[in-house]
Amino acid sequence: MGAQRSAVHQAVADVRAKAKELRESFGAEGPARALEWAATKLETALISEADRIVYLPEAAKISGYCEGHLARLVRKGDIPDMRPKGSHGRIKVRVGDLPTKPGRKHTPPADVHDLASRLFKRGKEA
């Protein structure tokens, strides 16, 4: 997935470079802005559900484990604590780091194709 992700990020950079070329070489402001808009939408879609940071109540709903168990896993270091060092506020975790309770339907983080299809559907509604 790492190489694939790099390829997608490179494609976004290429689209931005083409927008710059259109603007500077041909004075095509409209098409350049359209390409930049599309690149921004794609970058936004690439932010995966797995990278989302949540507090324990939502983490419990996602994983199927109770908040207390998840808090113990954070204290043990089994789940990385996303709070700033030395912070004593509410525990925050990354969705991709959460365990899934056995017997619970696994919902894997969205991949690029899934995100792109959701973006396409939203684009049609707008």
Side-chain angles (χ1 to χ4, degrees):
M1 180 74 168
Q4 201 175 35
R5 183 174 180 156
S6 296
V8 174
H9 286 285
Q10 182 59 52
V12 169
D14 292 346
V15 169
R16 288 194 187 283
K18 182 55 77 175
K20 183 177 179 182
E21 177 187 342
L22 286 171
R23 180 177 286 116
E24 293 175 357
S25 298
F26 303 103
E29 183 65 27
R33 284 197 331 216
L35 285 178
E36 288 168 343
W37 175 86
T40 299
K41 284 296 209 178
L42 184 56
E43 283 175 330
T44 301
L46 287 172
I47 299 172
S48 151
E49 174 68 12
D51 290 331
R52 192 164 60 99
I53 307 297
V54 297
Y55 290 107
L56 283 183
E58 187 172 357
K61 290 177 188 171
I62 293 167
S63 70
Y65 287 102
C66 71
E67 292 177 42
H69 180 67
L70 293 174
R72 279 189 296 280
L73 291 175
V74 169
R75 283 192 299 274
K76 281 179 41 183
D78 292 341
I79 298 175
D81 189 347
M82 301 309 291
R83 296 178 293 184
K85 283 276 190 218
S87 172
H88 296 290
R90 296 170 56 195
I91 294 174
K92 295 192 286 188
V93 295
R94 193 175 146 270
V95 169
D97 294 330
L98 293 172
T100 303
K101 193 169 190 172
R104 185 171 176 90
K105 182 181 173 193
H106 178 65
T107 53
D111 66 6
V112 172
H113 298 289
D114 185 33
L115 290 170
S117 70
R118 284 191 238 159
L119 178 64
F120 177 72
K121 288 178 189 172
R122 275 194 220 127
K124 281 189 143 185
E125 294 170 2

